[in-house]
Amino acid sequence: MDYAKLKGMLREDEDDPTWTEDDENKFCDETLNVQLEKVAAFQAETFKALEDRAAKTGEKLRDLAPEDGAKKGDITAGRFKEIEEELDGITNETKELKKYSNINYTGFLKIVKKHDRKRGNHYKIRPMVQLRLSKRAFNSEEGYAPLLNKLSMMYYVVRQQLDEAPEPINSADAQSETQNGERYVAYKFLVYSEQSSKGLDSQGDPTLNSLYFDNPDFALYNQKVERQVDASSIRIRWAGQLKESPELVIEQKIIHQNGSSEERRFPIKEKYIQAFIKGEYKMEKSIQKMERQGQPEAKVAEFKNTVDSLQKFILDNDLQPVLRANYTRTAFQKPQDDKVRMSIDTSLAFIREDAIDANRPCRAPNNWHRLDIDNSAMEYPFSNINQGELSKFPYALLEIKVKEDGIKKHPQWVDDLMSSHLVHKAPRFSKFVHGVATLFEDNVNNLPFWLSEVETDIRKDPQAAFEAEEERKARRAADEQVVGSFLGTSRPSASYKAAVSSPMAKSYMQERMAAEASAGRRSNFTGKSKSQNAATEDNEGETSNRNGGYGTLSSVFPSFSLSRYAQARREKTVQLPPGVLKPTQLIKDSGPLKVEPKVWLANERTYLKWQHICFLLGSFAIVLSNTGSHDSVRLAMGITYLVVSVFAAGWGYYMHRTRREMIVARSGKDFDNLIGPMIVSFALIIALILNFVFKACYPFLFNDEWQGFTDTKIQWREALDRNNSDAPSNSTAESMYEGMRTKLL
């Protein structure tokens, strides 16, 4: 990219404050349509050429493969040496292309940041540029991963044929780690978390703090981003609040050339940290304590070497605390089985902890940590910290570690999870690198490849994710043919058969995301105003009600859901992972039954409410029946209300017993049931409607008979008042009146 040209268009060195819409259009057109397209086209063309060269090299290697288990006679070591040199050339150019992509990627983010800072009063283009960058593959790790995996496989075959020690075939998505003498393969993923994306607090799991070191030139950061050999990072780590005196550990993590990592660590007390950083304390008391306890000399010597190497590394590189990562961690591991270890970090926040600027330090230079945070026991979301010193990570971070025990194949459920739509691959993701890139962007000239992905919505449609994974598996199986041919094993592609479709068929995510779009909902990264977010939440609530929320048929009869997901779940038979047996008793059902009193009282209170309704309706029904002994309508309504009251009494007792049994059985089912309230409500509505029809509308239905009856009654009353002899007697008039009235009724 022509960075100087774009910088000149901003007129950054001029004092002219005018910036017209025409200037803005020219700058955006030059940045997005000229410079970005030029860089993307060059990267795509070069990468395609490297892929073609790798494919031709693979064909040459395939021609040298043994036929029917017998080697070809004219094959010499020189042929394999030539192929190795070709692979070296392709690999070196691939590394250079990745470096080229990263430099240009950083340049685009830098220039738009200058634009928004200098000319961004009315025009902010950084979000738009980040979206365009995220759709380009020139700085994506996933774009380079297939080529690197293919080169790794061919290297393995060539070096084996040359009797060289072949390095194991490592996936570009994985990273080897050594912990307590055991080797693990680590995979990192981003996971959509509504809690993290909205900045909500999470309580229950332990909060971890990692305080990372670097120097004012950010040398450690640059080493990790550029993937230099033996790139290191140092941090102080503790759990919970510092004023509660937790155990503190100083750790150094070293990334080797083959992608594996090594960790060195030792515990230290808080009062010794500042002296250790300055080189005034060398953990003499801990060493003396270990010697008094009679621990082996080798262990004492190893501890001393670790302390000396970490302290020397800090002093030689002039390191100081610059960044704090605060997050909540939830760990998963099968009991007594360390083959698979998983952890998910949520509520991840990065905080500046540096004293680089002597005039405005975030941390007092004579302290190793920020006192304003630790003395006040400040917690996520850190609302009292200056927003320029804080960066909240919008996703959760999932890490899966699989133990290397000679078996290359992972458990099936692990593979299913890693290839599903639930996770987004983020190989080589580093909290330290991401925190520095977001909070110290003006101090660094190299940004990580995943930065643009974090600014976009990583949620995927399950069907699309399934198809992409099937394509990746097919491509990898074709690449492994070369390895299988030389090793004399069966070709993976011969046994590989692509699935017809995802088990979930077309995904519910399409409908969900379409509903969100129609309701105007977008992720919080688009910078909506609070009023817009409030309106969006209202629309979202309406959408959820239309799509099967509480109170719908699916909530009343959940087992009769007709959604594709529910049908797939009913038809699918869950297969447990190898070595896992179906438990006869769940963990929640073990141990003595302990129920809080409020649970029992809530059930009793609900039962009493039902009886209250029963007595009200029953009393009303009896009064209505007694006053209408000669009125068939009142009598019928009274009986109707009595039936409803009896049902309310029976339903209340039935649900009281049912819920009591569910509490005792520790059932995980829902306690709510809408059938009873719906029946009572509809019965009362129907009764009231009929009552209105029979009583209020009766005079209109029999208007002539009623008018005649009324006229006759008036004449009788007038005759009685005049003492007319022709008028009937009082008793006769009343009997005639009642007879007429009864006839009309």
Side-chain angles (χ1 to χ4, degrees):
M1 62 177 296
D2 194 342
Y3 189 86
K5 181 178 181 180
L6 294 176
K7 187 176 180 181
M9 294 179 67
L10 287 177
R11 304 197 300 272
E12 189 178 27
D13 299 331
E14 300 178 8
D15 296 331
D16 184 9
T18 59
W19 182 258
T20 64
E21 186 174 353
D22 185 58
D23 295 332
E24 181 69 22
N25 292 334
K26 289 180 180 179
F27 179 82
C28 292
D29 182 70
E30 181 68 24
T31 303
L32 298 176
N33 299 331
V34 178
Q35 299 296 332
L36 180 57
E37 293 298 330
K38 178 180 65 175
V39 172
F42 176 80
Q43 189 274 342
E45 180 182 355
T46 308
F47 185 77
K48 183 65 169 60
L50 291 174
E51 280 189 322
D52 293 340
R53 289 174 58 186
K56 292 179 180 178
T57 305
E59 291 295 334
K60 293 180 181 179
L61 192 59
R62 188 175 289 108
D63 293 339
L64 302 179
E67 295 180 356
D68 299 330
K71 291 187 177 181
K72 297 180 180 179
D74 58 345
I75 297 178
T76 61
R79 300 279 298 277
F80 287 102
K81 201 67 179 177
E82 292 176 1
I83 293 178
E84 186 180 27
E85 292 176 357
E86 292 180 13
L87 293 177
D88 290 339
I90 298 173
T91 303
N92 292 333
E93 290 191 29
T94 303
K95 292 180 179 179
E96 291 297 323
L97 182 61
K98 290 188 67 177
K99 186 176 181 180
Y100 159 87
S101 301
N102 185 263
I103 291 174
N104 282 276
Y105 170 78
T106 304
F108 281 114
L109 292 183
K110 289 280 187 179
I111 198 65
V112 297
K113 183 176 182 180
K114 286 181 180 292
H115 168 276
D116 291 354
R117 184 171 53 193
K118 179 75 175 178
R119 307 296 184 184
N121 294 332
H122 302 287
Y123 309 99
K124 299 285 187 182
I125 66 171
R126 179 169 177 138
M128 179 176 60
V129 173
Q130 286 180 326
L131 181 62
R132 292 283 295 270
L133 288 173
S134 65
K135 295 181 179 180
R136 299 290 183 177
F138 70 85
N139 196 50
S140 172
E141 189 73 10
E142 293 185 3
Y144 289 92
L147 178 59
L148 295 177
N149 289 334
K150 187 173 185 177
L151 294 174
S152 177
M153 292 178 184
M154 289 191 287
Y155 266 122
Y156 183 83
V157 172
V158 170
R159 289 171 179 171
Q160 188 184 53
Q161 297 300 317
L162 294 175
D163 295 331
E164 299 177 1
E167 296 181 358
I169 302 176
N170 293 325
S171 172
D173 300 333
Q175 180 177 331
S176 299
E177 295 184 0
T178 302
Q179 295 183 354
N180 300 325
E182 301 286 349
R183 289 182 60 84
Y184 288 85
V185 179
Y187 303 86
K188 294 183 179 180
F189 303 90
L190 301 181
V191 181
Y192 175 77
S193 171
E194 189 169 359
Q195 171 181 286
S196 297
S197 64
K198 294 185 177 180
L200 303 178
D201 191 9
S202 61
Q203 300 294 337
D205 292 311
T207 300
L208 300 182
N209 293 271
S210 296
L211 191 64
Y212 293 96
F213 286 67
D214 210 333
N215 54 30
D217 297 329
F218 291 94
L220 301 188
Y221 168 86
N222 291 323
Q223 290 177 7
K224 289 185 71 70
V225 173
E226 296 173 3
R227 298 185 185 177
Q228 297 182 10
V229 179
D230 296 337
S232 299
S233 62
I234 288 186
R235 67 179 178 181
I236 301 175
R237 188 181 183 191
W238 70 93
Q241 296 294 338
L242 193 60
K243 66 178 185 179
E244 297 175 356
S245 301
E247 181 184 18
L248 288 88
V249 179
I250 296 183
E251 299 177 340
Q252 180 186 21
K253 188 173 183 179
I254 305 174
I255 307 296
H256 298 297
Q257 184 176 8
N258 59 357
S260 62
S261 65
E262 175 188 359
E263 290 187 358
R264 301 171 184 172
R265 66 179 69 184
F266 63 89
I268 187 174
K269 293 184 178 180
E270 179 185 353
K271 58 183 179 181
Y272 298 133
I273 292 180
Q274 187 66 19
F276 176 82
I277 294 174
K278 292 184 174 296
E280 301 169 355
Y281 178 68
K282 299 182 180 297
M283 303 296 295
E284 294 91 344
K285 293 185 178 181
S286 298
I287 295 174
Q288 294 172 3
K289 182 179 179 181
M290 295 176 66
E291 292 175 347
R292 288 196 307 268
Q293 292 176 347
Q295 296 192 20
E297 295 182 2
K299 187 174 182 180
V300 176
E302 181 183 359
F303 178 82
K304 187 176 181 180
N305 291 335
T306 302
V307 171
D308 292 341
S309 64
L310 263 67
Q311 189 175 62
K312 184 176 184 302
F313 187 81
I314 292 175
L315 296 175
D316 292 346
N317 293 276
D318 189 24
L319 302 181
Q320 61 171 290
V322 296
L323 175 73
R324 176 187 299 214
N326 180 279
Y327 51 94
T328 301
R329 169 160 290 184
T330 307
F332 306 88
Q333 181 177 326
K334 289 168 58 178
Q336 300 179 351
D337 187 357
D338 61 348
K339 292 182 180 179
V340 179
R341 299 165 58 183
M342 303 173 62
S343 64
I344 184 166
D345 299 336
T346 55
S347 302
L348 176 57
F350 301 99
I351 306 171
R352 288 187 61 163
E353 200 100 7
D354 65 288
I356 297 176
D357 188 352
N359 297 325
R360 301 180 61 185
C362 298
R363 165 185 54 84
N366 57 345
N367 286 316
W368 63 273
H369 65 102
R370 289 182 60 160
L371 300 180
D372 60 331
I373 296 178
D374 296 318
N375 289 350
S376 61
M378 202 178 295
E379 296 180 344
Y380 189 89
F382 302 101
S383 55
N384 295 331
I385 294 182
N386 187 346
Q387 294 303 306
E389 302 172 1
L390 175 68
S391 174
K392 298 176 184 177
F393 194 68
Y395 297 112
L397 182 62
L398 172 67
E399 185 173 17
I400 302 176
K401 295 182 179 179
V402 183
K403 188 175 182 181
E404 290 185 343
D405 53 0
I407 302 176
K408 294 183 179 180
K409 188 173 182 180
H410 299 157
Q412 184 62 38
W413 66 272
V414 174
D415 288 336
D416 291 342
L417 174 60
M418 293 193 300
S419 61
S420 70
H421 68 286
L422 302 174
V423 297
H424 180 81
K425 292 181 181 179
R428 304 182 185 277
F429 180 88
S430 169
K431 297 186 182 74
F432 167 58
V433 172
H434 184 82
V436 172
T438 53
L439 293 176
F440 299 90
E441 187 173 347
D442 293 336
N443 300 74
V444 297
N445 294 319
N446 209 351
L447 299 177
F449 65 88
W450 65 77
L451 201 59
S452 61
E453 297 177 355
V454 173
E455 302 295 336
T456 59
D457 195 342
I458 62 172
R459 289 177 290 179
K460 312 175 202 173
D461 180 76
Q463 181 68 19
F466 171 80
E467 294 173 355
E469 181 63 20
E470 288 297 311
E471 182 181 355
R472 187 190 67 82
K473 289 180 180 179
R475 185 170 57 247
R476 186 175 181 84
D479 294 338
E480 289 176 350
Q481 290 183 10
V482 178
V483 180
S485 300
F486 278 93
L487 297 182
T489 59
S490 60
R491 295 186 177 184
S493 60
S495 59
Y496 174 78
K497 182 179 180 181
V500 176
S501 180
S502 168
M504 297 174 62
K506 279 196 173 180
S507 169
Y508 60 90
M509 277 293 291
Q510 289 179 341
E511 300 175 358
R512 174 184 171 184
M513 298 181 75
E516 290 177 356
S518 63
R521 175 181 173 184
R522 293 295 183 272
S523 58
N524 289 345
F525 318 127
T526 58
K528 287 184 175 180
S529 63
K530 293 183 178 179
S531 60
Q532 288 175 324
N533 284 335
T536 301
E537 290 174 359
D538 294 340
N539 291 338
E540 180 183 351
E542 296 175 3
T543 304
S544 62
N545 290 337
R546 289 194 300 267
N547 293 327
Y550 182 84
T552 59
L553 182 63
S554 60
S555 65
V556 180
F557 305 104
S559 60
F560 292 97
S561 176
L562 300 178
S563 65
R564 296 190 182 98
Y565 177 75
Q567 294 175 358
R569 294 288 296 176
R570 286 198 295 267
E571 298 171 359
K572 182 178 179 181
T573 302
V574 178
Q575 295 183 355
L576 297 176
V580 179
L581 301 177
K582 185 177 181 179
T584 57
Q585 186 182 29
L586 299 178
I587 295 178
K588 69 179 183 66
D589 296 337
S590 60
L593 177 64
K594 296 181 181 180
V595 181
E596 295 185 12
K598 64 180 182 181
V599 177
W600 296 110
L601 295 177
N603 191 28
E604 296 289 344
R605 189 163 53 248
T606 306
Y607 171 70
L608 293 178
K609 286 290 185 181
W610 276 105
Q611 300 310 307
H612 180 67
I613 294 175
C614 168
F615 289 134
L616 286 178
L617 292 177
S619 301
F620 179 67
I622 292 174
V623 171
L624 192 63
S625 301
N626 292 338
T627 58
S629 57
H630 301 291
D631 191 338
S632 59
V633 175
R634 292 187 182 183
L635 183 62
M637 290 295 101
I639 295 175
T640 302
Y641 288 125
L642 184 63
V643 171
V644 175
S645 66
V646 171
F647 174 81
W651 178 262
Y653 179 76
Y654 166 74
M655 290 307 302
H656 175 263
R657 296 293 304 176
T658 302
R659 287 169 178 151
R660 185 182 184 281
E661 293 174 357
M662 292 172 65
I663 294 172
V664 173
R666 306 176 187 179
S667 174
K669 299 179 180 179
D670 293 333
F671 282 80
D672 59 327
N673 196 314
L674 300 183
I675 297 178
M678 289 173 62
I679 292 178
V680 172
S681 300
F682 282 120
L684 289 177
I685 291 174
I686 294 174
L688 291 174
I689 292 175
L690 292 177
N691 187 37
F692 174 78
V693 171
F694 290 148
K695 302 298 293 183
C697 299
Y698 189 86
F700 300 99
L701 298 177
F702 303 95
N703 184 60
D704 296 339
E705 291 83 351
W706 186 263
Q707 187 64 38
F709 167 72
T710 304
D711 294 342
T712 303
K713 179 181 177 182
I714 293 173
Q715 293 174 4
W716 285 341
R717 290 295 183 188
E718 291 176 350
L720 288 174
D721 292 340
R722 294 194 304 268
N723 293 323
N724 193 337
S725 58
D726 296 333
S729 63
N730 289 339
S731 59
T732 304
E734 290 297 332
S735 61
M736 293 174 63
Y737 168 77
E738 288 297 332
M740 178 71 70
R741 179 176 177 274
T742 303
K743 180 179 179 182
L744 286 174
L745 292 177

